[in-house]
Amino acid sequence: MEQVDGALVDFVAEHAGRSILDLGCGLGGYSRTLAERGFDVRALDVVPEYVERARSIGADAELYDGETIPLGDGSVDTVMLLEVLEHLDDPARLLCEARRVARTGVLVTTPNCTQGFGQVPVEFSHMLDVDHRHFFTEQSLKRLLDDVFGSSVVEQTAPIDRHLAGAVLPQPLRAVHRWLDTIGLVKPRFFFRLRGRAPAGP
């Protein structure tokens, strides 16, 4: 549960219908949290240990083969894939399955690889993750979603500038930076995550 990001929960809650399929549910934290908010959530994952852990915290989780979603067409309002697509060899294939079972829409998030830090010896940790097969930029994620769904909205989120400012600025300047950020004079430049949403249906 400590891995659940409240901003991602809010994103799903804002855009999902009442019934949700958490595809690639991992340890089940998002399924449980959204269920506690009143959503009807089913969960699937390919790792038996993850499914067991998800069930142990109360998630309605099942094992599946990673290819065919064991649900009929239009079975749920929304399918969510949180931090899943970057791990897949063929994300378009699973997105087509997600589109098939979703009545209204599909929600996705991935690490953001749109920008780098130039010559500064700093790198996003997800750029070094050996388990990642894809490194999505805002443009490449939108292209993928558009190819499958026909249209999509993709945006960069989770600005890291505020976190960095709090970590590196001297104490007096942190308050100044917070104030400038609050009134909109400081614009974030670096974002950790991408989130996308696409319409489902025929």
Side-chain angles (χ1 to χ4, degrees):
M1 293 304 297
E2 69 272 9
Q3 297 178 6
V4 173
D5 183 338
L8 294 189
V9 175
D10 290 342
F11 166 63
V12 175
E14 179 182 354
H15 297 288
R18 182 182 175 280
S19 63
I20 299 172
L21 173 63
D22 184 357
L23 190 53
C25 67
L27 302 179
Y30 288 99
S31 293
R32 174 178 159 176
T33 302
L34 287 161
E36 289 172 348
R37 287 201 182 189
F39 291 92
D40 178 13
V41 186
R42 298 181 66 175
L44 295 174
D45 207 285
V46 298
V47 181
E49 293 82 2
Y50 289 177
V51 171
E52 289 177 18
R53 291 280 298 278
R55 288 176 176 169
S56 75
I57 64 168
D60 179 12
E62 298 176 22
L63 191 67
Y64 87 117
D65 64 9
E67 295 184 3
T68 303
I69 298 173
L71 296 175
D73 296 357
S75 296
V76 296
D77 292 325
T78 306
V79 176
M80 68 180 197
L81 299 100
L82 304 183
E83 312 296 293
V84 171
L85 298 181
E86 64 273 14
H87 298 279
L88 306 177
D89 289 326
D90 186 2
R93 183 173 179 176
L94 189 60
L95 286 171
C96 286
E97 270 291 278
R99 179 181 179 183
R100 178 183 67 79
V101 302
R103 282 189 290 271
T104 59
V106 174
L107 304 174
V108 304
T109 68
T110 72
N112 181 22
C113 300
T114 302
Q115 75 271 313
F117 295 96
Q119 297 300 312
V120 179
V122 174
E123 189 57 271
F124 285 120
S125 60
H126 57 69
M127 295 290 283
L128 308 175
D129 194 323
V130 297
D131 191 42
H132 288 187
R133 304 288 184 264
H134 296 273
F135 298 88
F136 289 105
T137 65
E138 186 176 6
Q139 294 75 24
S140 66
L141 181 59
K142 180 166 176 54
R143 189 162 52 246
L144 171 65
L145 295 176
D146 286 351
D147 286 348
V148 173
F149 298 95
S151 65
S152 66
V153 174
V154 174
E155 56 191 345
Q156 299 183 66
T157 65
I160 66 167
D161 305 61
R162 294 167 188 155
H163 175 74
L164 288 176
V168 302
L169 288 177
Q171 187 65 37
L173 292 180
R174 293 179 196 174
V176 173
H177 184 274
R178 278 196 303 273
W179 177 72
L180 292 172
D181 187 17
T182 301
I183 64 174
L185 292 180
V186 173
K187 300 294 183 186
R189 295 175 51 215
F190 301 102
F191 299 85
F192 186 77
R193 180 172 286 122
L194 296 172
R195 65 185 191 187
R197 56 188 194 273

